[in-house]
Amino acid sequence: MSEPILELHGVNKSFGPVHVLHDVDLAVRAGEVTALVGDNGAGKSTLVKCIAGIHAADSGEVRFRGKPVHIHGPRDAADLGIEVVYQDLALADNLDIVQNMFLGRERGSAWLLDEASMEQAARQTLASLSVRTVKSVRTPVSALSGGQRQTVAIAKSVLWDSKVVLLDEPTAALGVAQTRQVLDLVRRLAEQGLGVVLISHNMADVFEVSDRIAVLYLGRMAAEVQTKDVTHGQVVELITAGRSGDLGLARPDTAVV
Amino acid sequence: MTQTPTAPSPNTAITDFGIDTTTMSTSEAIRDYLSRLRGGQLGSLPAVLGLISLVIMFALLSDVFLSLNNIANLLAQGAGQTMIAMGIVFVLLVGEIDLSAGTASGVAGAVLAMHYVENGNLLGGMGSTVFIAFNAVLLLAVVLAVLLRVWPGAALSALAIVISVSGLAANPWIEMLLALCVGSAIGCITGFLVARIGMPSFVVTLALFLTWQGVILQFIGEGGVLGISTSPVLNQVANGNLSLVASWALFVVGAGGFAALQLGQHFTRLRRGLVTKPTPIVLLKVGLVAVIGAAATALLTINRSPNPSIEISGVPYVVPIVLGLLTIGTFVLNRTRYGRHIYAVGGNREAARRAGINVTQIRASVFVVCSSVAALGAIVYSSKVGSVDPQAGGLNTLLFAVGAAVIGGTSLFGGRGRVFDAVIGGTVLAIVANGLGLLRQSAAVVAIVTGLVLLLAATVDALSRRRAATGAR
């Protein structure tokens, strides 16, 4: 088994009196899709935001390629090669695909952007992911469908020579065909050697694309298992009760807040 | 039993989409444009149509309206508020509003006039208490700009202190620079209150609207008037004309530059296989600008004086001033990182923040841009009137400027708009005021009609936005 590219050890996070994450450990390996599952309020999105630098973790250690790192903002995470595709997409509707993909990291000098180079790079990235779903890379995002927006958001995350991509519920609002597209894209990211974290509520999606499953239960990491070693039922039990047979949190009362 | 899907079939889902296209034929482009219109992306089309119908209407109702003298006069009348509107476009783009831009420009105009009238002795003009307060506020602006890291704002505010304290003798260029600096200092204060403190821009600028009105009154005094028409340069800004040679040179530089930029860019993009508009449409656009420019220049270089003993001809100075500002503003918004970030903040503030854009800085800086440009507008309208009185920048100045931006197609909700919108909208409002004036309509009618035009524009904005929202699935 390869060394994890991103490791979290004992991460804690509170919002005021609410203790959202308790000593969470997580390992993300290159070339694998790690599914992060859990019930509503289990802390999945918070964990992703801690990794992305949107929230600062209260305590705990983050290791990137074996070396401890400190992530204080979105820029730090981006510099390491950690990209996040958020549930609410974080695209600006009024900008076109190229402008969105390069937002915050435009090419060219500050006083004269290099539109040509950005447009070519955007098209290459979309082509490398076999995305043929957009008519023109100069289409404003407001004119795209949900699946196309998700595709753009994911393509944006791989544009930066990124190492780890975190996807927050990428298929939540999509139809069947569009979900298919996005899942194919997720698989392709892993095949390109990226470490992929997929947050999802949909067990079918999780079992289809993931290599490993990490289950959060009330802010604790209940289990981290190989997808092939578990069944649907076990994962659902882990999500709802925090344990399933030998798997999961040792004593149920520790999980009760 | 589960398995890892190793060979997903990629061809299943992409049948309902086309492939990436870079060029469209002319007919495709026209169809695409029409479908975008139906989808609610109207841009400045309603304003252009309104402009044309207004011109036809007034030309039929008044025989003076289309006279050369009136057209030149109209340009100078509308220039000041159009320039303020250009600044306001920046603020509207991030989804904020600046109600204080009008009176802020009045403050800049009052300081300009006082510097001229008192021959640079602001201390004598204001009295020591007010002078100290004035400089303290400028110093505050410097500090706030530094906290916001809006360096140009800090530099200009500091320059205002230098000019004010050094008491340099009256010089029209120094006075104009001082007005710009005062405007930018005002913007630093507004920007800090909105972006850093987090107050709604509506409340902040409403309060400042009243405050600056009081400041103007304090500077000029009840019933006072500061005349600036005795300065040849200050008087010429809005009342002077380019010489015949310079008028045609302006045409060559303006239309030629536009053509060179458009065509150069178009063919470079075409060669590199990037997304382009169809060549005929680009050529049509360039040709249209050249023809309109040539016609306007030819007409404006004819002697238009109603009095046979004096000759008035040439393009008014306000035309190159407005065109220059338009060029700079358009370049900044479309081609620079700063402009891109303004659009991003207006389109989706959270997305901008997550992309690592300093949202606070961008939101503060647009107020600095707005007030600075408004100060330039103040130079023009003060020059037109020839004096600055306590009402400068008050009354309808601001509403006309906001109206101009909105009528042109800039959205009040942020993210959509161009500096060019302000020019179209400003022209519409200038025509309404000028035309109704020629028809000897009372101020009441002018106000009512202007209000209704603005209402119409806001309605179009809201409806097209709703349409765009439902149209995008």
Side-chain angles (χ1 to χ4, degrees):
Chain A
M1 195 183 293
S2 62
E3 274 298 295
I5 185 162
L6 177 71
E7 277 178 287
L8 273 65
H9 289 296
V11 170
N12 281 282
K13 175 71 191 171
S14 304
F15 292 110
V18 187
H19 203 158
V20 184
L21 297 175
H22 300 259
D23 295 328
V24 170
D25 295 350
L26 179 70
V28 180
R29 291 177 170 78
E32 283 190 358
V33 178
T34 306
L36 183 61
V37 296
D39 214 343
N40 288 338
K44 305 184 298 286
S45 294
T46 308
L47 181 59
V48 167
K49 282 179 178 160
C50 286
I51 299 173
I54 303 276
H55 299 321
D58 298 337
S59 66
E61 190 189 27
V62 180
R63 286 171 166 273
F64 190 78
R65 292 180 156 174
K67 272 179 281 186
V69 289
H70 296 280
I71 298 174
H72 297 292
R75 265 285 154 73
D76 293 347
D79 288 345
L80 288 172
I82 300 171
E83 290 290 330
V84 188
V85 179
Y86 294 98
Q87 206 166 359
D88 46 2
L89 295 179
L91 298 175
D93 265 7
N94 56 337
L95 299 181
D96 66 31
I97 295 175
V98 178
Q99 292 171 339
N100 264 296
M101 285 175 74
F102 282 87
L103 193 58
R105 284 172 288 196
E106 290 83 1
R107 286 191 190 169
S109 79
W111 292 103
L112 186 62
L113 298 177
D114 188 351
E115 294 288 343
S117 142
M118 287 195 275
E119 192 173 321
Q120 279 166 338
R123 183 169 305 132
Q124 269 164 19
T125 305
L126 288 168
S128 79
L129 294 168
S130 311
V131 173
R132 274 164 294 182
T133 62
V134 289
K135 198 162 166 239
S136 159
V137 286
R138 286 294 178 187
T139 313
V141 165
S142 59
L144 298 181
S145 70
Q148 288 172 323
R149 287 178 199 215
Q150 195 70 59
T151 306
V152 171
I154 295 174
K156 176 184 179 181
S157 68
V158 299
L159 188 62
W160 304 105
D161 190 26
S162 42
K163 306 291 182 289
V164 176
V165 175
L166 303 125
L167 303 158
D168 193 354
E169 304 242 15
T171 58
L174 301 184
V176 176
Q178 294 178 334
T179 301
R180 176 80 260 140
Q181 273 174 0
V182 170
L183 291 182
D184 287 349
L185 193 53
V186 169
R187 214 42 248 176
R188 240 172 274 138
L189 294 182
E191 281 160 16
Q192 288 190 356
L194 277 68
V196 181
V197 178
L198 171 75
I199 296 183
S200 184
H201 268 125
N202 186 325
M203 282 304 119
D205 291 358
V206 167
F207 275 89
E208 185 176 337
V209 297
S210 69
D211 300 300
R212 308 168 59 78
I213 299 177
V215 186
L216 270 178
Y217 178 72
L218 296 177
R220 291 165 207 272
M221 190 56 75
E224 245 188 294
V225 293
Q226 297 271 335
T227 307
K228 62 177 190 292
D229 296 341
V230 290
T231 64
H232 250 88
Q234 282 178 306
V235 174
V236 172
E237 255 187 274
L238 282 168
I239 290 172
T240 51
R243 63 203 189 97
S244 167
D246 302 339
L247 291 170
L249 298 166
R251 295 204 319 275
D253 51 297
T254 58
V256 177
V257 179
Chain B
M1 186 59 212
T2 58
Q3 73 282 341
T4 320
T6 44
S9 51
N11 293 325
T12 49
I14 48 182
T15 46
D16 53 337
F17 297 100
I19 54 157
D20 187 10
T21 50
T22 53
T23 47
M24 290 187 275
S25 71
T26 310
S27 61
E28 273 175 346
I30 293 170
R31 265 204 304 280
D32 186 56
Y33 179 68
L34 290 177
S35 78
R36 269 190 289 137
L37 283 188
R38 274 197 296 278
Q41 297 178 36
L42 296 174
S44 49
L45 184 73
V48 173
L49 291 180
L51 188 66
I52 294 170
S53 45
L54 280 172
V55 168
I56 294 173
M57 189 177 87
F58 285 124
L60 291 175
L61 291 175
S62 159
D63 45 357
V64 194
F65 179 72
L66 277 187
S67 71
L68 292 175
N69 195 32
N70 188 52
I71 290 177
N73 193 25
L74 193 152
L75 292 175
Q77 277 176 343
Q81 72 193 31
T82 302
M83 288 167 76
I84 299 176
M86 286 166 140
I88 286 180
V89 166
F90 280 76
V91 174
L92 292 180
L93 274 178
V94 299
E96 305 286 350
I97 189 138
D98 189 350
L99 299 175
S100 67
T103 47
S105 80
V107 172
V111 174
L112 170 144
M114 184 183 285
H115 193 276
Y116 172 71
V117 171
E118 301 285 339
N119 195 19
N121 184 3
L122 288 180
L123 177 59
M126 293 180 185
S128 57
T129 318
V130 177
F131 183 75
I132 291 169
F134 174 68
N135 281 294
V137 170
L138 289 177
L139 191 63
L140 177 71
V142 175
V143 173
L144 297 183
V146 168
L147 286 176
L148 290 164
R149 298 177 197 286
V150 179
W151 305 120
L156 287 175
S157 308
L159 191 58
I161 299 179
V162 172
I163 296 175
S164 134
V165 174
S166 65
L168 291 169
N171 173 322
W173 301 104
I174 289 183
E175 268 117 46
M176 289 191 228
L177 181 63
L178 178 63
L180 175 70
C181 292
V182 169
S184 121
I186 288 173
C188 295
I189 296 170
T190 322
F192 186 87
L193 292 173
V194 173
R196 184 55 69 81
I197 307 285
M199 283 189 265
S201 57
F202 184 87
V203 177
V204 171
T205 57
L206 185 63
L208 289 178
F209 169 80
L210 295 169
T211 311
W212 302 138
Q213 205 161 34
V215 169
I216 302 170
L217 197 58
Q218 173 64 45
F219 282 174
I220 299 178
E222 205 110 27
V225 175
L226 299 175
I228 57 170
S229 57
T230 45
S231 159
V233 175
L234 289 178
N235 183 44
Q236 288 287 304
V237 170
N239 299 309
N241 301 303
L242 292 168
S243 69
L244 292 191
V245 177
S247 299
W248 283 106
L250 172 70
F251 164 70
V252 171
V253 171
F258 180 75
L261 273 178
Q262 289 281 321
L263 295 177
Q265 202 179 34
H266 177 72
F267 289 111
T268 312
R269 292 182 71 87
L270 214 56
R271 208 173 50 243
R272 296 179 71 168
L274 302 171
V275 176
T276 48
K277 292 194 185 95
T279 309
I281 289 193
V282 176
L283 290 175
L284 186 73
K285 203 160 119 187
V286 169
L288 213 59
V289 168
V291 169
I292 293 177
T297 312
L299 288 173
L300 286 172
T301 45
I302 299 171
N303 181 14
R304 57 176 174 267
S305 170
N307 183 345
S309 60
I310 43 171
E311 189 187 321
I312 304 175
S313 65
V315 174
Y317 283 129
V318 293
V319 173
I321 293 172
V322 169
L323 284 183
L325 210 53
L326 172 66
T327 312
I328 295 171
T330 306
F331 178 82
V332 167
L333 285 181
N334 291 348
R335 291 275 170 268
T336 69
R337 185 172 299 167
Y338 174 61
R340 183 65 41 85
H341 290 180
I342 288 178
Y343 278 107
V345 170
N348 187 340
R349 194 182 293 175
E350 184 59 21
R353 194 172 73 83
R354 289 177 188 175
I357 294 171
N358 187 342
V359 174
T360 308
Q361 189 189 26
I362 297 282
R363 286 177 69 210
S365 68
V366 292
F367 286 96
V368 180
V369 171
C370 177
S371 300
S372 306
V373 174
L376 296 180
I379 298 173
V380 172
Y381 71 65
S382 304
S383 163
K384 177 68 187 158
V385 182
S387 64
V388 179
D389 62 36
Q391 293 299 340
L395 302 172
N396 293 329
T397 313
L398 166 89
L399 298 176
F400 271 45
V402 174
V406 174
I407 287 170
T410 296
S411 175
L412 282 168
F413 304 93
R416 282 192 310 159
R418 296 170 304 168
V419 181
F420 184 61
D421 294 344
V423 177
I424 297 183
T427 316
V428 168
L429 286 182
I431 287 178
V432 170
N434 176 286
L436 291 176
L438 289 179
L439 295 175
R440 308 218 175 283
Q441 297 297 322
S442 63
V445 175
V446 177
I448 291 171
V449 172
T450 312
L452 291 179
V453 169
L454 180 53
L455 202 57
L456 193 68
T459 313
V460 169
D461 176 34
L463 286 180
S464 73
R465 226 187 131 78
R466 205 169 68 182
R467 182 118 194 199
T470 54
R473 281 153 304 197

